[in-house]
Amino acid sequence: MLSSVFLSGRLGERIDDQTRLVEVDSLLPTRGEFRVFNIPVRSSRSPLSSFFLAKNGSLIILKGRLEEEKPLGLYIALEIEEIYAPNAKRDEMNE
């Protein structure tokens, strides 16, 4: 099955050598609170790539595809990403 997933969120913790969590805020409140979903994203890029070196909380916009592997379960296989530092100024984001 082929799939395309577009996602925007914040970079979270690394969970293994190839996988990092992306935190996505819920758009609808549950019992008056907005939940945060932690979605595993796997990358075959170098451990020195910005995906792995960027600080937690950095904004990420990505395109990937859905895959499944035990014991991780369902995850997004990263294809393309843009990453911005948490305190990046607007001019830096447009470079």
Side-chain angles (χ1 to χ4, degrees):
M1 176 189 334
L2 296 175
S3 63
S4 286
V5 176
F6 294 86
L7 186 69
S8 64
R10 296 177 305 277
L11 286 171
E13 297 295 322
R14 242 176 125 159
I15 56 176
D16 65 33
D17 290 345
Q18 294 181 303
T19 313
R20 191 165 182 180
L21 294 175
V22 173
E23 302 169 348
V24 178
D25 295 322
S26 170
L27 295 176
L28 301 173
T30 302
R31 296 186 184 117
E33 295 182 11
F34 289 92
R35 294 177 49 196
V36 175
F37 300 101
N38 289 299
I39 300 171
V41 177
R42 181 163 282 178
S43 174
S44 59
R45 289 175 173 73
S46 162
L48 300 176
S49 69
S50 59
F51 179 75
F52 293 113
L53 295 179
K55 293 181 181 179
N56 289 355
S58 297
L59 173 66
I60 182 169
I61 301 166
L62 66 88
K63 177 191 179 285
R65 64 187 181 281
L66 292 176
E67 294 200 4
E68 184 177 19
E69 183 179 300
K70 292 183 181 181
L72 184 60
L74 194 64
Y75 66 91
I76 296 175
L78 183 65
E79 295 174 352
I80 301 170
E81 87 277 354
E82 288 286 331
I83 297 173
Y84 302 101
N87 296 322
K89 296 177 184 170
R90 178 171 285 201
D91 292 338
E92 293 172 358
M93 295 172 88
N94 292 328
E95 291 180 353

